[in-house]
């Protein structure tokens, strides 16, 4: 008898397959974000990696243009993304319109967009190396945000090694 697989398990399966098959780390990180977008309806997912004391967007679901990427930089402690990088602790913003810490640096959201924002740390060898973040349409009872947060924390954990490899490759190219 075939059992129904939850959406979350299907996402984890798809991401684990991508981790095994994809050798180009930049494509892998983009694929992870695309899976979250396609399968879970998570909007504007991004992976930002630390470069010195600044986070820089390296992967996004709807490929940001050069201007949006350039705007999407955060110093440690700055905004929600920078706070997550500083503390190594996940953050959930119930409504981005009502939280002054949310900076909307990329300008990819409208002023009146009713969105929640989830940002989790990418941890490698006990150190924060970046963040994984997504937008969600506001859910009145916030129950889906709790399960989304748990899923994103698992996804961040299983993709952190690949993200660290990519970050180190980028640093080597710049040296």
């Amino acid at each position: 008898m075939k059992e129904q697989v939850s959406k979350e398990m299907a996402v984890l399966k798809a991401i684990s397959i991508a981790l095994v098959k994809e050798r180009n780390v930049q494509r892998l990180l983009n694929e992870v974000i695309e899976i979250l977008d396609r399968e879970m309806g998570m909007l504007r997912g991004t992976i930002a990696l630390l470069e010195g004391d600044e986070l820089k967007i390296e992967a996004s679901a709807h490929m940001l243009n050069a201007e949006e990427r350039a705007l999407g930089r955060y110093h440690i402690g700055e905004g929600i993304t920078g706070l997550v990088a500083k503390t190594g602790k996940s953050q959930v913003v119930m409504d981005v319109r009502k939280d002054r810490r949310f900076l909307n640096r990329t300008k990819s959201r409208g002023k009146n967009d009713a969105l929640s924002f989830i940002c989790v740390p990418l941890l490698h060898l006990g150190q924060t190396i970046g963040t994984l973040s997504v937008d969600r349409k506001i859910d009145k009872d916030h129950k889906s945000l709790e399960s989304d947060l748990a899923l994103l924390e698992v996804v961040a954990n299983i993709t952190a090694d690949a993200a660290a490899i990519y970050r180190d490759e980028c640093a080597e190219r710049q040296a």
Side-chain angles (χ1 to χ4, degrees):
M1 176 161 81
K2 189 174 182 178
E3 291 184 32
Q4 181 78 19
V5 176
S6 71
K7 274 195 211 182
E8 290 85 357
M9 288 303 294
V11 164
L12 292 174
K13 180 180 179 183
I15 290 172
S16 70
I17 290 169
L19 283 164
V20 171
K21 288 184 174 182
E22 183 57 67
R23 291 290 144 233
N24 179 300
V25 182
Q26 185 173 25
R27 281 198 303 255
L28 169 66
L29 296 177
N30 278 307
E31 188 171 347
V32 166
I33 294 295
E34 288 170 14
I35 290 167
L36 291 170
D37 181 56
R38 181 179 64 242
E39 302 298 328
M40 297 297 295
M42 295 183 178
L43 310 171
R44 277 182 287 284
T46 61
I47 292 177
L49 298 178
L50 272 174
E51 192 176 285
D53 70 340
E54 188 175 57
L55 289 150
K56 179 179 156 195
I57 295 173
E58 295 293 343
S60 61
H62 302 285
M63 297 304 282
L64 297 174
N65 64 38
E67 181 182 346
E68 291 169 328
R69 274 187 190 255
L71 292 171
R73 290 178 173 259
Y74 305 87
H75 289 284
I76 301 291
E78 183 179 38
I80 301 298
T81 302
L83 177 64
V84 169
K86 179 179 181 178
T87 63
K89 297 190 183 323
S90 301
Q91 293 283 314
V92 176
V93 174
M94 299 298 182
D95 186 340
V96 298
R97 299 169 300 180
K98 297 177 182 174
D99 194 317
R100 298 177 64 135
R101 300 171 305 160
F102 186 78
L103 302 177
N104 191 22
R105 278 275 166 80
T106 63
K107 306 294 184 217
S108 59
R109 297 160 190 90
K111 197 190 296 189
N112 295 318
D113 287 352
L115 297 169
S116 297
F117 181 75
I118 304 169
C119 187
V120 301
L122 291 170
L123 301 170
H124 178 70
L125 301 174
Q127 299 292 316
T128 303
I129 62 162
T131 62
L132 166 62
S133 62
V134 299
D135 288 353
R136 271 303 222 174
K137 291 182 181 170
I138 289 182
D139 175 17
K140 290 180 183 170
D141 63 9
H142 305 300
K143 287 183 181 176
S144 67
L145 289 178
E146 293 171 25
S147 61
D148 288 347
L149 175 62
L151 175 65
L152 289 175
E153 288 175 335
V154 171
V155 170
N157 289 338
I158 63 177
T159 58
D161 283 346
I165 291 167
Y166 179 71
R167 183 193 64 168
D168 293 346
E169 288 173 354
C170 290
E172 284 176 16
R173 276 184 253 141
Q174 289 180 345

